[in-house]
Amino acid sequence: MSLDALRDEVCRANRDLAAAGLVSLAFGNASGLDRRSGILLIKPSGIACDAVVPDDLVAVAIADGSIVDGNLRPSSDTPTHVELYRRFPSIGGVVHTHSSYATAFAQARLAIPCLGTTHADHFDGPVPVSRALADEEIDGDYERATGIVIADTIDALGGDPLAMPAVLVASHGPFTWGSTAAEAALNAQAVEIVAALAHRTLTIAGDAAVLGDRLRQRHFQRKHGPRAYYGQPAGSTSPTASTESSRS
């Protein structure tokens, strides 16, 4: 993907966060990475996600975090994004929001429990919460320390960031990622959905049981496993799309 194409994708990811109701004011940000050049593009600091245009995005080198292109300050969370890209070579997009339900779990310092199959369709187990940052981390390189605790949380689960593409940062909010910026934004939507469902379920029944391993694995594997059969094969076209294409 060219940097111009990446600009369009990252801009769209930021706007998708706003359209989905996951961000308000200037909270939140999305970035995308071109691995070949080692350049990430990220939303500028203090600009609302739905106001971003491609030319606003700031280009940052993941090698040293320096700005290589752009007239605006990058998001204050840029060092967090940089750290995640460095630690996880398989990811190509990172998103941070302050979406209401997921942030409530983060502020409570609680993982989002897997209570039903909707959660298991997207996440193989509870969405984890990080440890709290130590005073010296808060007073020091705070944003990079945030990236480190996120990555350490994933490493403790087995180290595959695409198997669990989200972490709640204690007292802060959710960070998500994916192979692309678009995928990271989709995962941010999924985190908010399962957080809202968990909150409502626990409000109805505070002793609601977590989903059993067998049913959880069946739902997760049918969408994400090596023999996944949910959805359509890559490159396939729906009959409706084919018909519309033949008419154009």
Side-chain angles (χ1 to χ4, degrees), residues 16-79:
D16 285 348
L17 298 180
L22 300 180
V23 295
S24 54
L25 303 177
F27 297 155
N29 45 72
S31 73
L33 175 66
D34 175 39
R35 286 275 173 193
R36 289 171 297 180
S37 65
I39 300 296
L40 72 87
L41 297 172
I42 193 165
K43 182 183 82 73
S45 179
I47 294 181
C49 287
D50 59 358
V52 175
V53 297
D55 286 345
D56 288 337
L57 299 174
V58 185
V60 176
I62 64 166
D64 58 8
S66 63
I67 297 173
V68 297
D69 185 49
N71 298 318
L72 301 171
R73 290 180 180 175
S75 166
S76 57
D77 293 313
T78 298

Side-chain angles (χ1 to χ4, degrees), residues 20-205:
L22 300 180
V23 295
S24 54
L25 303 177
F27 297 155
N29 45 72
S31 73
L33 175 66
D34 175 39
R35 286 275 173 193
R36 289 171 297 180
S37 65
I39 300 296
L40 72 87
L41 297 172
I42 193 165
K43 182 183 82 73
S45 179
I47 294 181
C49 287
D50 59 358
V52 175
V53 297
D55 286 345
D56 288 337
L57 299 174
V58 185
V60 176
I62 64 166
D64 58 8
S66 63
I67 297 173
V68 297
D69 185 49
N71 298 318
L72 301 171
R73 290 180 180 175
S75 166
S76 57
D77 293 313
T78 298
T80 306
H81 290 235
V82 168
E83 184 65 25
L84 293 175
Y85 288 127
R86 288 175 179 170
R87 290 281 291 270
F88 299 136
S90 61
I91 70 174
V94 175
V95 161
H96 172 48
T97 77
H98 292 259
S99 60
S100 298
Y101 285 97
T103 298
F105 273 91
Q107 291 181 167
R109 300 186 185 182
L110 294 173
I112 304 171
C114 182
L115 300 175
T117 59
T118 305
H119 184 125
D121 278 339
H122 208 89
F123 300 104
D124 188 15
V127 177
V129 63
S130 75
R131 66 167 174 82
L133 271 68
D135 288 348
E136 57 269 22
E137 292 171 317
I138 296 170
D139 293 340
D141 195 349
Y142 168 65
E143 287 81 9
R144 179 170 180 261
T146 299
I148 290 171
V149 298
I150 294 170
D152 288 349
T153 301
I154 293 300
D155 283 346
L157 295 177
D160 183 354
L162 296 180
M164 177 54 70
V167 165
L168 308 178
V169 177
S171 304
H172 189 164
F175 281 79
T176 61
W177 47 84
S179 57
T180 64
E183 189 175 293
L186 183 67
N187 288 333
Q189 293 184 50
V191 165
E192 182 65 4
I193 290 168
V194 301
L197 286 173
H199 175 268
R200 290 166 178 161
T201 301
L202 294 171
T203 298
I204 295 169

